[in-house]
Each structure stands twice: as C-alpha cells, then as structure tokens.
Amino acid sequence: PAGDVTVRATGEAGLDLDGSARETADDVQALAELYGPYPWAEVDVVAAPLGPGIGGMEWPGMVWVAGTEEEFLGVLSLALAHELAHEWWHALVGNDSIRAPVVDEPLAQYSMCLVTAPRQVGEVECVGLGRGGVGGRRDACADRPTNDFASAEEYGRLVYDQAPGFYFALSDAAGQDATIAALRGVLARHAFGTVTPAQLRDELVAAFPDRANEVSTLWDRYIGPPGCGG
C-alpha cells in the first residue's frame, strides 16, 4: 500500500514485481506530497509488450511499463515515475494528448525528475532536460499537435526534452516550492476537467505577478509563444 492506496504489480515470471510495487508506492507517496492526494483507491502496474522505443503508457488508475525482463529493468525507475505522474497530469487534469501533448508530457517529465532525484536515478536523463530544440536551440515551437512534428525524434526532442526545461527554469527563477505551489493551484482549479496550453500558460504567469514578463519569456522560449504551432 501507499497510504490508503492499494498497489498491484502484474507481469511475466522473472520480473521483480515486488520491487516494482514498492517503487510504485514510493513514487505515489512522493507525487502526492508534491501535488496532493492520489485521486483513486488503487493503482495497477502492468508489465506488457509495448513495442520499440515505448517505455510506458498510462490510464486512470493503471500504468503499463515495457514488458520483457530486459526492458522492464532498463526503464523501470524513469518510465514508472513518468507514467505515475500522468495520474495527476492527464488523468486528474486532462488535456488533448493529440493536439496538445505539450501540457501533460513535459509535466510528467519534470515530475519524474523530482521523484527520482532523491534515489539518484536517471540523473543523466534529467540534467539534460531543456537543452533540446531544433539544432540545439531552446526556442523552437513545442506547442504543436503530434502530427505537425517532422519525425518521432523531433517530437521527443521538443516535447520530452526541450519543453520540460520551462519548469526547471521557472524553479530556478522563482523557487521550486513556489513552482510546485503554482502547479497545485492548477490541479485544484481543473481537477477532473481539462486545461489547454494557453490556459496553463496564463495561470502560471498569473501565479507570479512580480515575474509575469519573465515567466512569459521562459514559456515562449521552451514551449513556444501562443499560436506558434499554427
């Protein structure tokens, strides 16, 4: 259990399901401390074959992680934390994951790093977030529908690598506690509803009235100015 949340792990023989259940419980507790209580009574972690390059998938109350023993052990800590973060960012506060993946995916990446950092897991992955962008720039437009990216590589570089840099830059500028507080406000206002990139941007700018221009500039640099996706 993770507090009052029941955790179940399912997969083929040979996987460390007890370990994944314990790690899930730790991640759920850590995420709840960041963002507020986990919104369901249980969470199921399922090791399943997901195909090349896919570390995990999420639904309300359930996450999948890559299904073979090699994949499972290789991506567990990072993928598991990322997918569990989606229970807050996509399941609790929803968004159009096809037209606006720049809402939930960067937040899941940012949350993944906050959760795994105390265990010193995925340090290399997290240190580089925010460096992406076309040609290494950090001002390419990440706020686009999935089919507007030229390739899966560009999609990953901008949405999973460049865009999370906004939250790290905001934490550097305004403080991590203040950034988390602003995100908790978004969760409180939009729980079991949806949010668009424009709404998220406006609410985060409004959360820092003394830094409004700076927050806007950071958003435009890492995620893209309003309308940049066409």
Side-chain angles (χ1 to χ4, degrees):
D4 294 330
V5 179
T6 298
V7 177
R8 297 187 181 91
T10 304
E12 64 184 27
L15 300 180
D16 182 10
L17 298 177
D18 288 341
S20 69
R22 289 192 297 271
E23 193 159 322
T24 298
D26 290 343
D27 287 350
V28 167
Q29 287 185 319
L31 287 161
E33 289 174 5
L34 289 173
Y35 299 127
Y38 178 79
W40 291 279
E42 64 183 61
V43 58
D44 290 280
V45 179
V46 179
L50 301 178
I54 302 175
M57 296 181 68
E58 82 285 345
W59 290 268
M62 176 180 286
V63 301
W64 290 5
V65 291
T68 69
E69 184 171 4
E70 180 179 359
E71 291 172 327
F72 190 70
L73 295 176
V75 304
L76 174 60
S77 289
L78 293 174
L80 185 58
H82 176 99
E83 301 307 332
L84 288 168
H86 276 304
E87 298 298 307
W88 283 262
W89 301 111
H90 190 58
L92 181 56
V93 172
N95 62 286
D96 189 325
S97 59
I98 301 301
R99 295 183 179 179
V102 79
V103 172
D104 64 310
E105 295 298 352
L107 279 164
Q109 287 287 84
Y110 173 66
S111 303
M112 172 190 79
C113 291
L114 297 184
V115 167
T116 59
R119 298 196 302 270
Q120 297 183 338
V121 173
E123 180 179 354
V124 174
E125 296 284 342
C126 292
V127 163
L129 291 183
R131 74 183 186 282
V134 177
R137 293 186 296 117
R138 288 183 287 185
D139 57 354
C141 181
D143 183 6
R144 302 186 237 166
T146 55
N147 62 358
D148 279 4
F149 293 91
S151 64
E153 180 184 4
E154 183 186 52
Y155 170 72
R157 189 169 67 248
L158 295 182
V159 173
Y160 287 80
D161 185 355
Q162 174 184 292
F166 165 75
Y167 297 99
F168 291 103
L170 180 59
S171 294
D172 288 342
Q176 183 172 298
D177 289 346
T179 299
I180 296 299
L183 292 172
R184 287 176 70 105
V186 174
L187 284 158
R189 289 186 292 274
H190 296 279
F192 300 105
T194 60
V195 67
T196 67
Q199 286 175 313
L200 181 57
R201 179 186 188 275
D202 289 348
E203 292 195 23
L204 292 175
V205 169
F208 300 94
D210 295 336
R211 294 179 175 268
N213 290 337
E214 184 179 10
V215 176
S216 295
T217 298
L218 290 173
W219 180 279
D220 293 352
R221 182 182 188 188
Y222 288 94
I223 294 177
C228 72

